[in-house]
Amino acid sequence: MSQASAGHDRVLDRLVVIGLGLIGGSFAKGLRENGLFREVVGFDLDPLSRRQAVELGVVDRCAETLEQACEGADVIQLAVPILAMEKVLARLAQIDLGRAVLTDVGSAKGNIVACAVRVFGHMPARFVPGHPIAGSEQSGVSAAKAELFRRHKVILTPVEGTDPAALALVDQLWRALGASVEHMEVEHHDEVLAATSHLPHLLAFGLVDSLARRHENLEIFRYAAGGFRDFTRIAGSDPVMWHDIFLANGKAVLQILDAFESDLVQLRAAIEQGDGHHLLGVFTRARAAREHFSKILARRAYVDVMHSNDLIFLANPGGTLNGRLRVPGDKSISHRSIMLGSLADGVTEVEGFLEGEDALATLQAFRDMGVVIEGPQHGRVTIHGVGLHGLKPPPGPLYLGNSGTSMRLLSGLLAAQPFDTVLTGDASLSKRPMNRVAKPLREMGAVIETGPDGRPPLTIRGGQRLTAIHYEMPMASAQVKSCLLLAGLYANGETSVTEPAPTRDHTERMLRGFGYPVTVSGNTARVESGHALKATRIEVPADISSAAFFLVAASIAEGSDLILEHVGINPTRTGVIDILRLMGANLELLNEREVGGEPVADIRVRSAKLKGIDIPEDLVPLAIDEFPVLFVAAACAEGRTVLRGAEELRVKESDRIQVMADGLQALGVKADPTPDGIVIEGGPIGGGEIHSHGDHRIAMSFSVAALRASAPIRIHDCANVATSFPNFLVLASEAGMRVSEEGNS
Ligand code: S3P
């Protein structure tokens, strides 16, 4: 076999497409154009379609009979209506098909497999059922487009005994057309399509018909605006095709229709009974799901091999920071506001909520457990608390994205619920240690399974009675402390946690804000069960961890004078200020005040000559998230900076010691990692390629480094900046930094 002209590794002899409609025609045309077959032959019962197919270059030729068409075929694509499939298969069963691979494009797969079994007596090993999720309201061969399947999904549903070579070949053909191919079980395909495609079509057809049959229909349609038009667009689809689909996939459609019918009955009852809470619950959940879904759809653009989903920041050298800015809300406080607001009695209003992916993951988890949450809109969130015992079992695993705080804090309160839960996360979260929470929770009587080596996913068995313990934490971790305090709200007796060094105390402060007694003496915090949380108002201050990038940026960029507004300066979080001051930074706290139990201030930063220091170990837990950018400050300082006692940095969103050392070295900075810290010599910074390893704080830190670099810095894998600081690029360039998304200056 010779090389294909289009660069594919082989040329096949003959493709036969039976049924020259939009889908069959587009398949034929696309493969004809990319030269994978020596010849593309079409067959259709309609002579006009056959003629047009040849005239439009969809096929090389058309055969007069099915038998003639299939002669010498390597691949036979069945693109006939589903209910015609049995007849066609029955005729094919009479023909010697040789080694031809059969495949099809039907929207329901169980029915087609059943037809094949009836006709052939078994499912032929070289029959690969398929379904392209593509189409348009147009139909017929004249609408065929070679690129119809580009960037669309195609689902193949091999069965037991499907020939792997045949499957690979069909897979290859769809990929050659630019589709992204997935494999699924037949039943699963039919259920998924019943829900995502067939039910919506049924509702659209049904609604339009129902309204059209009413005698005032003219009135209705005259006033029908965008909503009606959008919802019913698909009622313009081919009626015969859809008739076939519902008859072919009846079982799966009935299942989802029954579930929907009972939800509809509940919606009806809510309207009848004036139950606004139920309505709000459905609508807020639906809106959030829809947004989530739109994002997934948008990402599909990346299916194209020419693109990748590596979001690159290009940070150009130089710049000066000036003006005033307010960074987004505190991540730790935002998480806790959703958790405690959900468990409170009454309605909690939150302002300044961080609309980053991590805090949104927590918000979604509580929505999944039945809490009605309005917003977030411009940082405002309204949480209709369900009380400490009001959570409901979620419909599936709780996906927490990149967020360690969500997983560790939630595991504490989920250990005490009457239902089971599974907590999962993205690739980075799936590598993070969870035994630090699982172990003490088990001591309290929780039943928790982890993945290998104590990593996620976590499976938490509900219905356990927890007993209070005293726990001496082996590491300084606010997440572990908070997890145990939350479990303590449900445990029999008094739970107490002692930390080896002070860590952020937002959980303790906020519990008190919700009227829940917490006692703190020295390094020990205590709660007992039996009290309630009362809804409250929360104003989330700007996140000092996000402000830190600008504290360092304005310090190292000559001529800078910047004010950061309304920054949280809780003393368990201000290590970054102390460390920068020790290095000689010029930071001024203005307008210090207290908002909702948390101290805040405006911070003025002016450029300064920094010097290297030995970072005092007691400041490490108080600046734990700010070290990546502090390492950049160290690289710009005169002399050597030494960090010790910070091994926790190795188990953050990335191994922040190694990843920062690698990045600094790539820019020509002398940075030597040690097991529990790093030694950095200040000096000139060059340009180069940096890998952030999907860690938001690494990406932002190297954006700051560019202020003092001699050449551009390209930072890879920056999408996770959205977890904590979604508008970083906008604020950074407003302030005077020269960083932007590559290709998007
Ligand atoms: C957090 C605690 C810290 C911090 C994280 C947020 C919290 O983690 O790094 O970003 O909100 O409790 P550790 O508890 O693991 O130190």
Side-chain angles (χ1 to χ4, degrees):
M1 280 192 189
S2 67
Q3 284 299 110
S5 53
H8 302 293
D9 51 1
R10 59 179 175 157
V11 174
L12 295 154
D13 251 348
R14 187 166 297 154
L15 167 69
V16 176
V17 177
I18 300 173
L20 296 167
L22 171 72
I23 301 289
S26 299
F27 185 82
K29 194 164 191 225
L31 289 176
R32 183 166 181 260
E33 285 182 9
N34 75 14
L36 212 60
F37 289 87
R38 266 189 244 283
E39 189 183 38
V40 177
V41 178
F43 177 74
D44 196 287
L45 288 177
D46 172 31
L48 181 64
S49 298
R50 293 204 297 262
R51 211 178 61 224
Q52 276 187 329
V54 176
E55 280 168 13
L56 296 169
V58 166
V59 294
D60 293 300
R61 64 179 174 89
C62 274
E64 296 290 317
T65 67
L66 195 63
E67 289 72 12
Q68 286 168 8
C70 294
E71 249 175 53
D74 286 305
V75 176
I76 302 173
Q77 172 63 281
L78 304 171
V80 299
I82 297 188
L83 294 190
M85 194 67 88
E86 183 151 6
K87 243 193 195 153
V88 175
L89 286 172
R91 285 186 56 197
L92 291 178
Q94 309 299 315
I95 305 174
D96 176 11
L97 298 175
R99 294 283 298 154
V101 169
L102 270 182
T103 184
D104 79 302
V105 295
S107 309
K109 307 283 22 135
N111 175 275
I112 287 171
V113 171
C115 284
V117 171
R118 265 199 304 279
V119 165
F120 290 94
H122 62 277
M123 179 66 182
R126 291 172 73 76
F127 183 4
V128 181
H131 176 205
I133 317 278
S136 84
E137 285 98 52
Q138 293 173 312
S139 52
V141 71
S142 55
K145 283 195 216 75
E147 64 283 0
L148 184 71
F149 308 108
R150 235 175 107 72
R151 300 194 191 180
H152 282 266
K153 281 204 164 55
V154 171
I155 303 173
L156 301 182
T157 59
V159 298
E160 224 188 294
T162 300
D163 175 358
L167 178 62
L169 176 57
V170 176
D171 193 302
Q172 182 203 347
L173 297 185
W174 284 113
R175 285 182 204 276
L177 294 174
S180 81
V181 184
E182 289 178 22
H183 298 181
M184 236 185 229
E185 281 188 10
V186 169
E187 294 74 28
H188 188 211
H189 167 276
D190 287 356
E191 283 163 20
V192 169
L193 268 290
T196 55
S197 168
H198 306 170
L199 179 63
H201 277 82
L202 192 76
L203 298 180
F205 283 125
L207 177 70
V208 175
D209 178 56
S210 166
L211 296 184
R213 277 188 294 112
R214 300 180 64 83
H215 61 269
E216 71 275 34
N217 66 37
L218 248 186
E219 264 314 85
I220 293 176
F221 289 117
R222 194 135 47 101
Y223 295 108
F228 180 81
R229 202 172 45 230
D230 290 349
F231 182 77
T232 59
R233 179 179 60 82
I234 49 179
S237 306
D238 181 353
V240 177
M241 182 178 101
W242 281 97
H243 150 275
D244 283 17
I245 290 174
F246 285 107
L247 296 183
N249 200 27
K251 191 169 148 232
V253 171
L254 286 179
Q255 249 176 34
I256 188 77
L257 190 60
D258 288 348
F260 180 67
E261 202 178 351
S262 90
D263 289 346
L264 200 59
V265 167
Q266 285 188 41
L267 273 175
R268 188 190 181 286
I271 295 172
E272 193 172 49
Q273 292 150 20
D275 180 355
H277 187 256
H278 182 83
L279 295 177
L280 206 54
V282 173
F283 300 162
T284 48
R285 282 196 304 275
R287 181 181 159 146
R290 165 75 216 181
E291 272 163 20
H292 181 62
F293 169 68
S294 310
K295 268 194 215 147
I296 294 177
L297 287 182
R299 273 192 212 137
R300 260 199 4 203
Y302 293 123
V303 169
D304 194 331
V305 286
M306 296 307 288
H307 294 72
S308 76
N309 43 19
D310 178 10
L311 177 64
I312 296 174
F313 282 4
L314 180 62
N316 281 310
T320 300
L321 288 90
N322 282 296
R324 305 175 72 89
L325 61 90
R326 178 167 172 164
V327 300
D330 188 282
K331 183 152 75 76
S332 295
I333 299 178
S334 295
H335 281 298
R336 287 156 173 86
S337 70
I338 298 293
M339 296 181 188
L340 299 190
S342 295
L343 298 175
D345 297 313
V347 177
T348 290
E349 300 279 355
V350 184
E351 274 193 61
F353 179 80
L354 166 64
E355 295 181 40
E357 286 173 6
D358 278 12
L360 290 172
T362 293
L363 190 152
Q364 186 59 39
F366 282 90
R367 274 197 178 128
D368 287 346
M369 292 189 284
V371 182
V372 174
I373 304 176
E374 296 173 70
Q377 205 175 19
H378 306 307
R380 286 179 131 269
V381 182
T382 304
I383 308 163
H384 298 256
V386 295
L388 276 167
H389 300 283
L391 294 179
K392 300 217 176 75
L398 297 173
Y399 176 72
L400 302 169
N402 194 247
S403 178
T405 309
S406 308
M407 189 169 284
R408 298 209 178 108
L409 270 59
L410 272 173
S411 61
L413 63 93
L414 293 176
Q417 302 302 320
F419 49 83
D420 294 354
T421 35
V422 176
L423 306 183
T424 65
D426 71 1
S428 150
L429 182 53
S430 300
K431 285 191 216 133
R432 298 184 67 186
M434 292 297 148
N435 276 340
R436 53 178 61 199
V437 290
K439 181 180 163 286
L441 286 172
R442 285 184 193 128
E443 284 176 30
M444 296 176 80
V447 178
I448 301 184
E449 292 149 34
T450 68
D453 301 324
R455 319 274 165 201
L458 297 184
T459 302
I460 302 176
R461 302 278 168 218
Q464 319 297 326
R465 289 256 342 116
L466 300 190
T467 313
I469 55 165
H470 170 71
Y471 191 63
E472 300 270 346
M473 286 199 300
M475 76 288 285
S477 164
Q479 293 179 353
V480 176
K481 171 177 65 173
S482 302
C483 163
L484 298 180
L485 293 177
L486 291 173
L489 304 182
Y490 297 89
N492 221 344
E494 185 187 72
T495 300
S496 56
V497 191
T498 300
E499 46 190 2
T503 66
R504 64 193 69 194
D505 62 357
H506 304 300
T507 305
E508 298 90 305
R509 285 175 189 252
M510 200 181 284
L511 278 169
R512 289 201 197 102
F514 277 88
Y516 204 102
V518 183
T519 46
V520 178
S521 49
N523 277 359
T524 303
R526 297 188 167 78
V527 290
E528 53 173 22
S529 55
H531 303 273
L533 296 160
K534 285 185 282 301
T536 183
R537 256 196 99 257
I538 295 173
E539 198 183 317
V540 182
D543 197 330
I544 190 168
S545 298
S546 298
F549 299 104
F550 294 99
L551 298 181
V552 172
S555 297
I556 63 172
E558 229 173 273
S560 298
D561 186 352
L562 183 72
I563 292 187
L564 294 154
E565 296 173 344
H566 206 79
V567 182
I569 50 159
N570 178 318
T572 58
R573 297 286 299 281
T574 45
V576 62
I577 294 179
D578 300 334
I579 293 170
L580 282 173
R581 280 183 169 154
L582 289 172
M583 296 176 82
N586 183 351
L587 307 179
E588 223 182 311
L589 300 189
L590 310 169
N591 195 14
E592 287 187 50
R593 56 212 180 269
E594 189 163 305
V595 176
E598 290 280 351
V600 297
D602 300 332
I603 308 179
R604 182 172 183 191
V605 205
R606 279 168 285 184
S607 358
K609 268 194 109 40
L610 301 183
K611 57 179 194 303
I613 58 165
D614 269 17
I615 298 176
E617 276 192 43
D618 59 336
L619 291 179
V620 169
L622 311 180
I624 193 70
D625 290 337
E626 290 70 66
F627 282 109
V629 78
L630 283 169
F631 296 168
V632 171
C636 298
E638 201 186 308
R640 168 183 297 191
T641 296
V642 181
L643 171 69
R644 296 186 196 85
E647 51 280 274
E648 275 294 301
L649 290 180
R650 292 198 179 271
V651 290
K652 294 291 178 190
E653 285 85 327
S654 67
D655 175 345
R656 286 183 174 160
I657 292 175
Q658 193 59 49
V659 172
M660 281 305 296
D662 292 345
L664 288 170
Q665 286 166 9
L667 302 180
V669 176
K670 198 167 165 340
D672 294 319
T674 61
D676 67 340
I678 195 165
V679 180
I680 298 171
E681 299 286 348
I685 301 180
E689 301 277 325
I690 299 292
H691 294 275
S692 78
H693 291 265
D695 185 330
H696 53 140
R697 300 202 198 278
I698 305 283
M700 291 185 276
S701 298
F702 282 106
S703 308
V704 170
L707 287 159
R708 288 276 287 270
S710 56
I713 302 180
R714 282 179 89 227
I715 311 157
H716 291 268
D717 206 0
C718 294
N720 276 339
V721 166
T723 59
S724 68
F725 201 157
N727 59 344
F728 171 72
L729 288 178
V730 174
L731 290 190
S733 61
E734 269 172 26
M737 288 168 60
R738 298 172 183 167
V739 56
S740 57
E741 212 177 296
E742 191 169 69
N744 212 359
S745 59

